[in-house]
Amino acid sequence: MGGCSKDYVNYLDRRFSKKVRDNVHGNIYLDPLSLKFVDTEQFQRLRDLKQLGLTYMVYPGAVHSRFEHSLGVFSLAGETVHRIKAQQGSELGIDNLDIQTVKLAGLLHDVGHGPFSHMFEREFLRQIPHGIKWCHEDMSVRMIDHIVDFHHIDIDAECLKKAKDMVIASTEHVSHKSVNEKHFLYDIVANGRNGIDVDKFDYIVRDSRACGLGCSFQIERLMDSMRVMGDEICYRDKDYLTIFKLFSSRADLHRTVYTHAKVKAIEMMFVDSLIKADDFLQISSKIQDPAEFWKIDDSILKTIEISHDQELKEARELIMRIKRRDLYQFCNEFSVPKDRLEHFKDITPQDIVCSQENGDIKLKEEDVVVCNVKIDLTRGRSNPLEKTLRAMRNSRYMIIASVICCQLFVKIGL
């Protein structure tokens, strides 16, 4: 397709679209079907979910939401599939339904996300009595069905099914795809094969910018070089360093932002507050039903803070401690030696208490919080670059694939 005709097609696409200005990707054009999802109370809820949860209490600029992140992933997903079609569309058989499906998956991949970033599912739900195993990807799939049914959205059944499969493509719950399926399309939004996907492209750049950090990863360079080989998205071997920067930038964000000692202290305090408030507010009882779950957002914190209910007294006191900067005290951090990673077991408050030496102060288990933090490159202890291109495997760049550190906090003043 020549340049003029391609521009004309883009013009036709945008003529019926709504333009949104994004501070990372510039103009984003929402097509009519995507707008039907965006203009629902369930999707608009994402405006009230901060992408980085409580991180803004340490990094004041980190107030961006999952709403703008979802629009960013939508834009990158559409750009990716359009570029692949322009280069290899005829040989791969990419059609308009494929394009619409990938864009929709990018838009809706976080529509079932819990409040306060990943703290909700990884900390709060696991610590309540009879801890619940729950993941936002599964809820996103259920929420998509709920939105379609509740708002009577007319959508092709095949498009809907594939979009939902793309949302959970990086989880163990993804359904089996037929041998004739275009597997590479499922790697664009949530890549379960090597972790290189547009979800990371967006949040790494967006989070870095919001926190005032530099980011050397270049989205455009990878987008220009991607090609489909053997039904998998591949990159040139000379782009090895760019891919390395993708994963190293993510690891740096984990070290400097997501697991910052003050951020973790605030998160652990709020987890304790949520646990104390759960019986009264019935938060955990609403996580299985999309019709109830969409009503849960970051406003929980303010609900607890301004409540006069006696049942929330202890939870409210913890919120006040956070606001007055009377935080759990960070005591120490221990990095697990590389040769012990394989057999390492999480440190518990009981381990800390039992290892106390004789002294004036005796800590009890309820006085101690231990965060076992794992920072890897999305593939555990494996090098994700091993699964990107065979030509890259002999590259001179070496990476540390997994690091575990234990952060110790005490809840009382010493």
Side-chain angles (χ1 to χ4, degrees):
M1 181 179 289
C4 292
S5 57
K6 181 180 178 181
D7 290 341
Y8 181 64
V9 170
N10 288 337
Y11 164 74
L12 291 178
D13 288 343
R14 294 175 179 179
R15 190 174 52 168
F16 301 104
S17 299
K18 182 175 182 178
K19 182 173 73 173
V20 178
R21 184 68 182 177
D22 179 61
N23 68 341
V24 174
H25 305 298
N27 290 334
I28 294 175
Y29 296 88
L30 292 163
D31 59 87
L33 178 59
S34 297
L35 272 173
K36 291 180 181 179
F37 285 90
V38 171
D39 293 337
T40 64
E41 58 271 33
Q42 291 82 9
F43 190 88
Q44 292 292 319
R45 161 185 177 267
L46 298 181
R47 293 183 185 270
D48 299 316
L49 299 182
K50 290 186 177 63
Q51 176 79 5
L52 298 185
L54 297 167
T55 302
Y56 71 96
M57 292 189 174
V58 178
Y59 290 88
V63 292
H64 54 301
S65 69
R66 293 210 171 265
F67 181 88
E68 55 204 88
H69 166 63
S70 296
L71 295 186
V73 176
F74 163 85
S75 177
L76 290 176
E79 179 69 15
T80 299
V81 72
H82 272 297
R83 290 196 185 202
I84 293 175
K85 182 180 181 183
Q87 295 288 338
Q88 302 173 271
S90 58
E91 65 178 280
L92 297 174
I94 299 174
D95 54 32
N96 290 334
L97 183 66
D98 293 328
I99 295 173
Q100 181 70 76
T101 302
V102 172
K103 289 166 61 179
L104 205 57
L107 181 71
L108 302 175
H109 78 286
D110 268 353
V111 75
H113 213 288
F116 306 105
S117 193
H118 295 281
M119 183 203 77
F120 185 79
E121 62 187 278
R122 294 178 184 174
E123 302 291 346
F124 166 61
L125 291 180
R126 293 181 184 181
Q127 291 187 39
I128 59 175
H130 313 295
I132 301 171
K133 187 177 181 181
W134 180 94
C135 73
H136 70 271
E137 291 91 351
D138 288 344
M139 176 51 74
S140 290
V141 168
R142 282 182 277 169
M143 189 66 73
I144 292 170
D145 283 333
H146 174 68
I147 293 173
V148 170
D149 294 340
F150 189 80
H151 295 280
H152 309 292
I153 295 177
D154 184 17
I155 181 172
D156 180 87
E158 182 182 4
C159 174
L160 180 63
K161 180 182 182 303
K162 288 182 177 180
K164 291 189 295 184
D165 281 345
M166 289 176 187
V167 167
I168 58 173
S170 64
T171 73
E172 58 188 24
H173 308 294
V174 63
S175 62
H176 178 71
K177 298 182 280 291
S178 71
V179 293
N180 297 320
E181 190 60 85
K182 302 163 189 171
H183 287 204
F184 67 92
L185 293 176
Y186 293 78
D187 295 337
I188 293 175
V189 174
N191 192 333
R193 288 200 261 200
N194 57 39
I196 303 174
D197 52 50
V198 296
D199 181 24
K200 289 184 187 64
F201 289 5
D202 182 84
Y203 79 67
I204 287 172
V205 175
R206 194 176 298 277
D207 292 357
S208 297
R209 179 175 297 187
C211 295
L213 305 176
C215 181
S216 59
F217 167 63
Q218 297 174 305
I219 296 175
E220 192 67 23
R221 185 175 178 88
L222 281 190
M223 299 276 276
D224 281 341
S225 70
M226 63 176 61
R227 296 291 185 274
V228 175
M229 300 170 60
D231 206 15
E232 183 173 1
I233 297 175
C234 299
Y235 304 87
R236 297 174 301 184
D237 59 346
K238 67 179 181 180
D239 285 329
Y240 188 100
L241 182 57
T242 303
I243 295 173
F244 168 78
K245 287 179 179 178
L246 168 69
F247 292 109
S248 63
S249 296
R250 176 183 176 275
D252 286 343
L253 281 168
H254 274 273
R255 293 187 187 97
T256 59
V257 178
Y258 309 153
T259 63
H260 187 287
K262 294 294 185 186
V263 172
K264 296 305 293 184
I266 292 169
E267 287 183 351
M268 294 304 99
M269 292 182 76
F270 190 57
V271 167
D272 285 347
S273 178
L274 285 178
I275 291 172
K276 293 179 183 298
D278 190 44
D279 285 343
F280 184 72
L281 295 179
Q282 294 293 296
I283 302 166
S284 62
S285 67
K286 302 173 183 177
I287 63 169
Q288 304 298 346
D289 182 6
E292 291 298 319
F293 180 74
W294 78 265
K295 302 171 187 176
I296 302 175
D297 56 36
D298 289 0
S299 64
I300 300 172
L301 188 151
K302 183 59 69 174
T303 298
I304 297 172
E305 181 183 3
I306 66 176
S307 172
H308 296 290
D309 293 300
Q310 188 62 27
E311 293 86 348
L312 294 177
K313 181 176 183 294
E314 291 184 5
R316 185 165 57 249
E317 288 174 348
L318 281 168
I319 300 296
M320 292 305 177
R321 282 187 62 182
I322 293 173
K323 292 298 182 72
R324 294 165 184 168
R325 217 61 175 183
D326 179 19
L327 306 179
Y328 292 169
Q329 293 185 28
F330 173 71
C331 295
N332 201 1
E333 181 175 289
F334 169 73
S335 294
V336 181
K338 187 177 180 181
D339 59 348
R340 297 186 185 179
L341 285 175
E342 188 173 348
H343 304 290
F344 175 77
K345 294 182 179 180
D346 285 354
I347 302 296
T348 67
Q350 184 181 27
D351 295 327
I352 301 299
V353 171
C354 291
S355 64
Q356 289 183 97
E357 297 180 356
N358 293 330
D360 296 332
I361 300 175
K362 281 292 184 181
L363 293 173
K364 297 175 288 188
E365 285 187 43
E366 57 267 29
D367 298 328
V368 178
V369 180
V370 180
C371 294
N372 293 280
V373 179
K374 183 177 181 181
I375 301 173
D376 59 33
L377 303 178
T378 75
R379 301 295 94 188
R381 296 189 66 193
S382 302
N383 182 345
L385 303 182
E386 295 281 343
K387 298 183 179 181
T388 305
L389 252 189
R390 184 171 299 174
M392 293 182 175
R393 291 182 181 171
N394 295 322
S395 173
R396 62 184 180 276
Y397 296 104
M398 299 296 293
I399 58 177
I400 299 174
S402 183
V403 175
I404 297 177
C405 68
C406 303
Q407 296 173 320
L408 172 63
F409 302 85
V410 293
K411 303 181 181 182
I412 58 175
L414 297 179

